């Protein structure tokens, strides 16, 4: 959160520079991709304490099923973006940008970068736009369920899991985006702009959270669903802010230059 606060303070100073620095502001629609790994089905079982029900029908084993495959978040998230661009020379501009998702995962991204012009015309300009940013996100994955005929709750040394507990995953870290930015001049103040690029996230996560408890993916109680046995699941689910990105919006020139 401290990194995001610093970015926001920088952006406020950027906007307050009207009349001192020549710059443009922009805003519009942002569509950002996310990717997942090891989002598959697994169980949490207290078989070590109570024994396997599949072996002994009188066992009091508790067992919940987590179908991550069915909980997988959308690969594309729709949101908004606002930013500012300051001209450095005829071909190079610096930018600062904030993105916030309105659907899919909850994602807040702050970026700094440059626009380097590769084509300039009376109306249409085309730039290469590399960005470096800090992303923070959360995916609400739904609720877990106890398998019928098993005894709730599931009691592990790492925590207790029960029917209806909410499952989520949080992640944060740096991201690099490289894209192409076309702008079309409508008049001296207003332009249409867009961007298509690819975002590569270097994010980390504490793992799956179940009602605030970290699901211990390496625990013997985290097992494969097939056969209702005790084989360790052997997975490490993760979400990153990697994937294609798209932007479309308007740019307004604040300076008199």
């Amino acid at each position: 959160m401290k990194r995001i606060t610093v970015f926001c303070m920088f952006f406020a100073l950027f906007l307050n520079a009207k009349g001192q620095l020549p710059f443009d502001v922009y805003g519009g629609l942002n569509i950002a991709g996310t990717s997942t790994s090891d989002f598959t089905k697994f169980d949490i079982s207290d078989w070590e304490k109570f024994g396997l029900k599949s072996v002994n029908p009188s066992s009091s084993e508790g067992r919940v099923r987590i179908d991550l495959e069915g909980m997988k978040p959308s690969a594309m998230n729709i949101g908004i973006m606002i930013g500012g661009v300051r001209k450095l020379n005829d071909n190079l501009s610096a930018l600062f940008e904030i993105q916030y998702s309105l659907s899919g995962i909850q994602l807040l991204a702050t970026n700094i970068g440059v626009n380097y012009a590769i084509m300039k015309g009376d109306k249409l300009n085309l730039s290469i736009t590399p960005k470096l940013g800090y992303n923070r996100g959360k995916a609400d994955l739904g609720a877990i369920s106890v398998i019928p005929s098993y005894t709730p709750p599931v009691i592990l040394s790492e925590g207790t899991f029960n029917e209806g507990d909410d499952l989520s995953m949080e992640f944060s870290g740096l991201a690099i985006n490289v894209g192409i930015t076309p702008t079309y001049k409508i008049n001296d103040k207003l332009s249409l702009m867009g961007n298509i690029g690819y975002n590569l996230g270097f994010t980390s996560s504490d793992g799956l959270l179940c009602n605030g408890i970290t699901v211990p993916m390496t625990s013997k109680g985290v097992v494969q669903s097939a056969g209702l046995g005790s084989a360790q699941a052997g997975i490490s689910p993760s979400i990153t802010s990697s994937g294609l990105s798209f932007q479309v919006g308007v740019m307004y020139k604040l300076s008199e230059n």
Side-chain angles (χ1 to χ4, degrees):
M1 290 302 295
K2 191 174 292 185
R3 292 186 181 91
I4 294 173
T5 301
V6 171
F7 270 109
C8 291
M9 290 175 62
F10 180 84
F11 186 63
L13 291 173
F14 195 82
L15 292 180
N16 287 333
K18 181 179 179 182
Q20 302 174 27
L21 299 174
F23 70 97
D24 305 333
V25 293
Y26 63 89
L29 183 68
N30 185 80
I31 302 175
T34 57
S35 60
T36 60
S37 63
D38 278 352
F39 261 57
T40 187
K41 190 183 297 183
F42 69 94
D43 294 346
I44 304 177
S45 166
D46 50 19
W47 66 272
E48 283 189 286
K49 183 176 293 187
F50 298 105
L52 286 170
K53 194 174 186 66
S54 58
V55 175
N56 178 10
S58 64
S59 165
S60 297
E61 178 192 1
R63 196 174 185 111
V64 296
R65 177 143 299 166
I66 300 179
D67 184 9
L68 283 183
E69 188 173 4
M71 298 174 174
K72 187 180 295 186
S74 171
M76 302 301 292
N77 304 282
I78 300 174
I80 57 174
M81 51 87 180
I82 58 172
V85 178
R86 180 191 173 193
K87 185 176 180 180
L88 301 178
N89 57 45
D90 287 342
N91 294 315
L92 189 66
S93 299
L95 68 86
F96 182 86
E97 181 180 276
I98 298 174
Q99 303 170 2
Y100 182 73
S101 66
L102 300 174
S103 69
I105 64 173
Q106 301 172 38
L107 179 66
L108 177 64
T110 51
N111 298 308
I112 55 175
V114 296
N115 287 325
Y116 182 77
I118 57 176
M119 187 189 82
K120 299 178 71 175
D122 293 337
K123 291 287 188 179
L124 182 64
N125 293 332
L126 192 65
S127 301
I128 295 176
T129 307
K131 303 174 189 176
L132 173 65
Y134 178 78
N135 293 352
R136 187 174 185 86
K138 178 182 178 181
D140 291 317
L141 302 173
I144 64 176
S145 58
V146 176
I147 299 174
S149 80
Y150 282 78
T151 306
V154 177
I155 303 171
L156 304 183
S157 59
E158 298 89 347
T160 300
F161 306 90
N162 208 345
E163 176 79 28
D165 285 351
D166 293 322
L167 194 69
S168 64
M169 178 176 280
E170 299 177 357
F171 62 92
S172 62
L174 296 177
I176 296 173
N177 183 284
V178 178
I180 297 292
T181 301
T183 58
Y184 182 80
K185 183 178 178 180
I186 297 175
N187 55 43
D188 289 341
K189 289 290 187 181
L190 198 63
S191 299
L192 297 176
M193 56 89 57
N195 180 277
I196 179 171
Y198 187 84
N199 200 67
L200 184 61
F202 300 94
T203 54
S204 61
S205 172
D206 290 334
L208 289 169
L209 297 174
C210 188
N211 273 1
I213 301 170
T214 301
V215 178
M217 297 307 300
T218 58
S219 169
K220 290 183 179 180
V222 177
V223 296
Q224 297 176 14
S225 295
L228 299 175
S230 60
Q232 220 282 331
I235 60 174
S236 182
S238 66
I239 302 175
T240 66
S241 54
S242 296
L244 291 173
S245 63
F246 306 91
Q247 292 179 333
V248 61
V250 294
M251 183 176 293
Y252 184 76
K253 188 174 183 178
L254 290 177
S255 68
E256 299 300 327
N257 297 333

